[in-house]
Amino acid sequence: MTKNKNTSNALWGGRFDDAPSAIMQAINASIGVDKRMAAQDLAGSSAHAAMLAKCGIINASDERLIQDGLSQIGEEIKAGDFIFSAALEDIHMNIEARLGELIGEAAGRLHTARSRNDQVATDLRLWLRDALDEIDERLGAFQKVLVVLAEAQADTIMPGFTHLQSAQPVSFGHYMLAYVEMMDRDRGRFADARARLNECPLGAAALAGTAYRVDRQMTARALGFDRPMSNSLDAVSARDFALEFLSAASICAVHLSRLAEELVIWTSAGFAFVSLSDQFSTGSSIMPQKRNPDAAELVRAKTGRIVGDLNTLLVVMKGLPLAYSKDMQEDKEPVFDAYDALCLSLSAMTGMMADIKINRKALADAAGAAFSSATDLADWLVREANVPFRKAHHITGQIVKCAEKNGKTLSELSLTQMQAICPKIKEDVFAVLTPAASAASRISYGGTAPDNVKAQVKLWKEKLS
């Protein structure tokens, strides 16, 4: 193989005589991914330069040149005029090289008392902090849409399911509030992750700290971190903050996927509980009658992608000794991918639930099917006839069998038919056998009674305001 003489990387190639091969350049370059952190890299460099000047490590004149150069690079990137070079590997070296073109030798002083190892760890924490704030806003907006729907449908009765079999009647509003609760726990996980990641690696240098008398508190404050990280090895090698984000994102995506699955089921002809607008449905290339819930299906599918991103980084990190290894270059792509997929999924779910149409009749009919008030009959026997619950459960099972044999619902059986099984049953039992009465009776805290739902809606509106 022919060697390329005198073309080694100008920023790190003093130790080398030959340039890396094309294959080495291809596998080594990350600029296609990490250029997304340009704003964070510029912010970190600006804070670092200011600290170096304050500590007397560089002079004020050089700092002014550096700050002006960084500002110009920021404008170039914003305007789309900046040329990103794969030969310069990553966003850090691309910016440093351009800074050298703009201000000359002073640019070389910027990298004093830092390494790309602490630089990239700082950039990723800064980027992820902004990403978490964005996700929190999107989750809050989604919760508000669900609360509005819960308020409008508090009195709408539908079947609740276990094993996807009709179980007991519930309020549609109650159903929606279950997802509001899930999203709130997701917000809590993201908030916890944000709090833990908000420590500054800058100043840890390559792995051992620096011999310069730097002020790490100053750079941490300037970048909005709570404190500098207290162990230099940990500062450059920790990626648990990224794993924690991916874990929280995976759980959140699973929650969205469960609701997406409900929409796929509910919009099918066999259920017809709800319908999606044209904005979130597609047709078939061959079957003109079809309305496919593709947006919901794709939210469901993107969950696999996000969970895969978590698994990717877990596998990358699992065998790495301290401190930095080049393997960690692969940390950013799964983080960025999961963020993009989750944001898109949240937007899609928010849009779908904002204009969903509810088929109250189909919900009501289904709520009364499959003997869904059987538990209410058993409870009536306990409450009004003083029958032990296990015996009441057995009696109710016999009555359900009778209704099934006669092709009737429980409320369609005659009192005589019920009394043939249990003489203690009275006429007022029929008052608890309707789906609406069943739902209204669930008054315990957290229960599905419409009055409970309305009270919870009020609390959520206050919390989300």
Side-chain angles (χ1 to χ4, degrees), residues 1 46 84 90 141 150 173 179 186 309 337 446:
M1 182 182 290
S46 177
F84 296 99
D90 56 34
Y179 285 101
D186 289 326
D309 289 325
D337 183 69

Side-chain angles (χ1 to χ4, degrees), residues 440-451:
S441 72
R442 307 296 165 186
I443 57 173
S444 61
Y445 181 78
T448 192
D451 286 346

Side-chain angles (χ1 to χ4, degrees), residues 319-346:
L320 298 186
L322 296 180
Y324 183 83
S325 297
K326 192 68 170 182
D327 310 52
M328 293 184 193
Q329 182 168 289
E330 296 297 315
D331 62 353
K332 287 165 284 298
E333 193 164 7
V335 168
F336 296 162
D337 183 69
Y339 167 78
D340 290 341
L342 185 59
C343 284
L344 184 56
S345 295
L346 281 167

Side-chain angles (χ1 to χ4, degrees), residues 99-369:
L99 188 63
E101 293 172 355
L102 291 173
I103 67 171
E105 189 177 72
R109 304 189 190 282
L110 174 60
H111 209 55
T112 307
R114 76 173 183 184
S115 160
R116 279 190 294 173
N117 295 356
D118 61 338
Q119 194 176 354
V120 68
T122 302
D123 289 359
L124 186 54
R125 285 173 185 263
L126 288 171
W127 186 92
L128 194 47
R129 194 173 67 188
D130 292 340
L132 287 167
D133 291 343
E134 173 66 22
I135 289 170
D136 185 70
E137 285 188 23
R138 288 175 183 265
L139 279 167
F142 183 41
Q143 284 181 296
K144 288 178 182 178
V145 165
L146 294 177
V147 168
V148 168
L149 189 56
E151 183 173 36
Q153 306 298 333
D155 294 308
T156 299
I157 306 303
M158 66 174 288
F161 299 95
T162 62
H163 310 278
L164 201 56
Q165 305 295 313
S166 290
Q168 292 177 278
V170 297
S171 157
F172 191 93
H174 191 60
Y175 217 109
M176 292 301 100
L177 289 181
Y179 285 101
V180 174
E181 297 279 351
M182 290 183 215
M183 296 303 126
D184 213 54
R185 292 193 297 275
D186 289 326
R187 292 180 77 178
R189 274 182 282 271
F190 286 124
D192 288 346
R194 190 191 191 285
R196 267 185 289 278
L197 74 76
N198 205 36
E199 295 183 334
C200 186
L202 200 58
L207 75 161
T210 176
Y212 295 93
R213 293 189 178 278
V214 295
D215 185 349
R216 294 189 61 209
Q217 294 285 351
M218 178 181 172
T219 47
R221 284 194 303 270
L223 294 170
F225 288 108
D226 294 330
R227 64 192 69 84
M229 295 186 74
S230 58
N231 184 288
S232 60
L233 287 166
D234 183 45
V236 298
S237 64
R239 291 298 183 272
D240 54 343
F241 67 94
L243 289 168
E244 189 169 5
F245 161 70
L246 290 170
S247 178
S250 296
I251 295 170
C252 182
V254 167
H255 289 157
L256 295 178
S257 184
R258 295 184 73 181
L259 181 54
E261 171 72 1
E262 310 260 32
L263 294 179
V264 172
I265 293 170
W266 292 350
T267 55
S268 67
F271 281 76
F273 287 177
V274 302
S275 59
L276 300 175
S277 72
D278 291 351
Q279 295 182 73
F280 294 98
S281 303
T282 64
S284 165
S285 62
I286 190 173
M287 296 170 283
Q289 84 282 7
K290 293 293 293 297
R291 286 179 63 86
N292 298 326
D294 282 8
E297 291 172 4
L298 288 166
V299 167
R300 192 173 57 181
K302 285 188 182 296
T303 299
R305 185 167 175 166
I306 294 168
V307 172
D309 289 325
L310 169 61
N311 196 50
T312 294
L313 189 53
L314 284 168
V315 174
V316 166
M317 296 301 299
K318 68 156 182 71
L320 298 186
L322 296 180
Y324 183 83
S325 297
K326 192 68 170 182
D327 310 52
M328 293 184 193
Q329 182 168 289
E330 296 297 315
D331 62 353
K332 287 165 284 298
E333 193 164 7
V335 168
F336 296 162
D337 183 69
Y339 167 78
D340 290 341
L342 185 59
C343 284
L344 184 56
S345 295
L346 281 167
S347 293
M349 291 304 301
T350 301
M352 279 186 280
M353 300 311 291
D355 67 356
I356 195 171
K357 299 294 185 291
I358 311 301
N359 186 343
R360 288 188 174 91
K361 184 179 185 307
L363 288 168
D365 289 347

